[in-house]
C-alpha cells in the first residue's frame, strides 16, 4: 500500500513536470505563430505538425503550406521546413533555455485561414516506449518499471536544476541588494554635499550683503 502511494505521488509530480503540448490553432495568410518552451540541456524533444485539410475531397492548395523553424535561445537552428503540409522534428537539447517553434505562411489573395495541429513533447514524455518494448523484448511490467525509473531520474535532475536556479536567484538578490545599498549611500552623500554647499553659498551671500 505504501509503495503504491509512493508510485502514485511520483506519477502525479511527474505529470506536473513533463511537457506535452497538443495544440490546434489558426494562422492567417502572411501571419506568424510562435510557441516557446523552456527545455533543460540533454533533454529529448519531439514534435509533429500538419495542416488540417478543410475538405477531404480535395487536396490542399498552395495557400495551405507552412514554413516551420525550431530555434534555441541562442539562435541555433534545430529544424527547418519550407512550404510543407506536415512534418516532424526530434532533437536532444544541447543548450538550456527557451526553445521556440515558429510557423508562418506566405501572403495570398484572397487571404486564407490555415488550421494547424501541433504535438510537442519533451523529457520522458518524448520517449517512444513502444519501440523500447519491441527492441528489448520485454513485457508490460518491465516497460512500466523503466518508465518509473526514468521518472525518478527526471525528478532528481529537476531538483538539482531548481536548486541551481535558486542559487542563481539568491546570488542575483545579494548582488542587487549590495548595489542598492551603495546607490543609497552615494545618493545620501550627494544630497548632504549639495545641502552643505547651499548653506555655505547662502552664508557667504549674506555676509557680502552684510546681512549677518
Amino acid at each position: 500500500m505504501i509503495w503504491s502511494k509512493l508510485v502514485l505521488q511520483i506519477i502525479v509530480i511527474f505529470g506536473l513536470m513533463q511537457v506535452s503540448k497538443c495544440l490546434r490553432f489558426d494562422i492567417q495568410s502572411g501571419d506568424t505563430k510562435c510557441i516557446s518552451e523552456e527545455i533543460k540541456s540533454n533533454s529529448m524533444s519531439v514534435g509533429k505538425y500538419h495542416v488540417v485539410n478543410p475538405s477531404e475531397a480535395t487536396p490542399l492548395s498552395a495557400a495551405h503550406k507552412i514554413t516551420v523553424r525550431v530555434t534555441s535561445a541562442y539562435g541555433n537552428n534545430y529544424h527547418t521546413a519550407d512550404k510543407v503540409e506536415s512534418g516532424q522534428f526530434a532533437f536532444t537539447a544541447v543548450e538550456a533555455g527557451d526553445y521556440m517553434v515558429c510557423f508562418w505562411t506566405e501572403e495570398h489573395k484572397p487571404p486564407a485561414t490555415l488550421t494547424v495541429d501541433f504535438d510537442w513533447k519533451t523529457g520522458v514524455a518524448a520517449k517512444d516506449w513502444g519501440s523500447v518494448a519491441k527492441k528489448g523484448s520485454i513485457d508490460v511490467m518491465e516497460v512500466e518499471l523503466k518508465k518509473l525509473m526514468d521518472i525518478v531520474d527526471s525528478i532528481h535532475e529537476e531538483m538539482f536544476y531548481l536548486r541551481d536556479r535558486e542559487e542563481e536567484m539568491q546570488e542575483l538578490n545579494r548582488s542587487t541588494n549590495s548595489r542598492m545599498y551603495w546607490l543609497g549611500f552615494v545618493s545620501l552623500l550627494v544630497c548632504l554635499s549639495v545641502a552643505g554647499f547651499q548653506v555655505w553659498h547662502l552664508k557667504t551671500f549674506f555676509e557680502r550683503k552684510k546681512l549677518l
Side-chain angles (χ1 to χ4, degrees):
M1 180 66 68
I2 297 176
W3 172 251
S4 299
K5 290 183 178 179
L6 179 60
V7 171
L8 180 60
Q9 290 175 355
I10 292 175
I11 293 175
V12 170
I13 296 173
F14 169 73
L16 294 175
M17 290 169 47
Q18 295 306 307
V19 176
S20 178
K21 288 188 174 181
C22 297
L23 304 174
R24 171 172 285 196
F25 53 88
D26 294 334
I27 306 179
Q28 298 289 334
S29 296
D31 288 348
T32 301
K33 174 75 173 181
C34 291
I35 301 167
S36 66
E37 184 61 48
E38 183 179 2
I39 302 178
K40 296 182 297 182
S41 61
N42 299 320
S43 292
M44 181 181 293
S45 181
V46 297
K48 57 183 178 180
Y49 51 87
H50 72 274
V51 179
V52 178
N53 193 340
S55 176
E56 297 182 356
T58 59
L60 288 172
S61 64
H64 287 74
K65 299 291 181 71
I66 55 175
T67 297
V68 185
R69 296 283 189 280
V70 181
T71 55
S72 69
Y74 297 93
N76 294 322
N77 192 15
Y78 280 80
H79 174 73
T80 301
D82 294 324
K83 298 179 183 178
V84 296
E85 298 176 3
S86 62
Q88 57 186 6
F89 59 85
F91 62 87
T92 300
V94 178
E95 310 151 307
D98 290 329
Y99 283 70
M100 184 171 294
V101 182
C102 288
F103 304 83
W104 65 87
T105 64
E106 293 184 348
E107 190 169 355
H108 290 275
K109 293 184 179 180
T113 300
L114 285 68
T115 301
V116 179
D117 276 344
F118 179 44
D119 185 11
W120 191 10
K121 298 178 181 179
T122 63
V124 179
K127 288 192 175 182
D128 185 0
W129 292 105
S131 177
V132 171
K134 291 179 181 178
K135 290 181 179 178
S137 299
I138 53 180
D139 57 25
V140 176
M141 181 61 69
E142 288 176 313
V143 172
E144 293 300 323
L145 289 174
K146 284 183 175 292
K147 287 183 181 180
L148 290 176
M149 287 299 296
D150 278 354
I151 291 171
V152 172
D153 290 340
S154 178
I155 294 174
H156 190 251
E157 292 175 1
E158 186 71 18
M159 290 175 63
F160 278 106
Y161 174 73
L162 293 176
R163 188 179 67 179
D164 291 340
R165 291 293 298 272
E166 182 182 3
E167 291 177 355
E168 291 177 3
M169 292 302 297
Q170 290 178 351
E171 181 62 29
L172 179 61
N173 288 336
R174 286 193 291 266
S175 176
T176 302
N177 290 336
S178 177
R179 293 177 180 177
M180 291 301 297
Y181 170 79
W182 284 108
L183 178 61
F185 177 76
V186 171
S187 299
L188 179 61
L189 185 61
V190 170
C191 290
L192 292 175
S193 299
V194 171
F197 174 77
Q198 288 178 339
V199 171
W200 174 81
H201 177 72
L202 291 174
K203 183 179 179 181
T204 304
F205 174 78
F206 289 140
E207 287 177 349
R208 284 203 308 266
K209 298 295 184 179
K210 297 181 180 180
L211 297 176
L212 291 178

